């Protein structure tokens, strides 16, 4: 144990892994306004045909991309009587898929499952001389639909 870590341990200041901020349903108002006005009625969750909206912390709805992708059908927004999900004719959200270190291809194992399901073609595998092709996510092209998340065998993609 090095000095700094030991001090932190003895002082009870071990840093816990911080939970990533939840992804709210598409078209959600900014977080502070959303949690102030959302009545936690669950209408959006019940309306989602993909069943990707779950009851999150404190009962507020959030997206669980492990259950599937968002098709941007707009049913959740239309079901929300509190008005905290805007009209589905505006941009749904700014979240994007992000690659993490556990990606098999980054570790030298051949895998392209994520690219195969990306309709926006935002995941590219460039040729790599003498090695396994690695994925790169084009943030500008990514729509944040999350289709790649549940397809990844090692949960290496997060959307946020
Ligand atoms: S837009 Fe459709 S698929 Fe996406 S979270 Fe809302 S209801 Fe579900
Ligand atoms: S429908 Fe609207 S008010 Fe009800 S839980 Fe969903 S976001 Fe909140
Ligand atoms: S599916 Fe997962 S492990 Fe496979 S290349 Fe994509 S991110 Fe990497």
């Amino acid at each position: 144990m090095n000095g700094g870590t030991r001090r932190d341990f003895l002082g009870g200041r071990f840093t816990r892994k911080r939970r990533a901020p939840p992804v709210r349903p598409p078209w959600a108002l900014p977080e502070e306004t959303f949690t102030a006005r959302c009545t936690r009625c669950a209408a959006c969750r019940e309306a989602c045909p993909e069943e990707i909206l779950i009851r999150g912390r404190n009962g507020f709805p959030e997206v669980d991309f492990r259950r599937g992708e968002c098709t941007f059908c707009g049913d959740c927004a239309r079901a929300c009587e509190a008005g905290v999900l805007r009209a589905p004719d505006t941009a749904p959200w700014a979240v994007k898929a992000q690659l993490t270190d556990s990606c098999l291809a980054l570790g030298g194992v051949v895998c392209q499952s994520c690219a195969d399901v990306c309709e926006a073609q935002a995941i590219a595998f460039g040729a790599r001389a003498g090695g396994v092709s690695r994925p790169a996510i084009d943030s500008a092209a990514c729509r944040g639909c999350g289709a790649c998340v549940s397809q990844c065998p090692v949960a290496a993609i997060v959307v946020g």
Side-chain angles (χ1 to χ4, degrees):
M1 187 180 287
N2 67 36
T5 306
R6 183 182 171 82
R7 251 197 322 277
D8 286 349
F9 178 75
L10 293 174
R13 286 185 279 119
F14 251 143
T15 45
R16 290 208 184 112
K17 204 172 179 185
R18 292 184 69 179
R19 188 177 184 266
V23 177
R24 298 301 179 202
W27 301 285
L29 293 176
E31 181 69 9
E32 209 168 304
T33 313
F34 179 83
T35 51
R37 295 196 204 158
C38 170
T39 59
R40 293 173 263 191
C41 68
C44 55
R45 284 164 39 206
E46 287 160 11
C48 178
E50 305 300 322
E51 300 183 351
I52 60 170
L53 298 180
I54 62 167
R55 184 180 189 279
R57 184 178 286 188
N58 296 325
F60 291 108
E62 59 185 62
V63 181
D64 183 351
F65 289 110
R66 292 170 302 183
R67 300 164 68 98
E69 69 184 282
C70 178
T71 62
F72 304 109
C73 66
D75 287 357
C76 53
R78 283 185 286 271
C80 178
E81 292 186 358
V84 295
L85 305 179
R86 286 171 296 225
D89 57 356
T90 57
W93 52 28
V95 297
K96 306 283 183 184
Q98 294 161 25
L99 196 64
T100 64
D101 291 345
S102 52
C103 167
L104 296 173
L106 294 183
V109 177
V110 176
C111 178
Q112 300 199 356
S113 301
C114 50
D116 292 344
V117 296
C118 180
E119 284 186 12
Q121 299 188 325
I123 306 177
F125 283 77
R128 195 160 158 263
V132 171
S133 294
R134 295 173 165 184
I137 299 175
D138 177 354
S139 288
C142 174
R143 299 180 303 144
C145 71
C148 51
V149 173
S150 62
Q151 294 301 312
C152 177
V154 290
I157 298 179
V158 294
V159 175

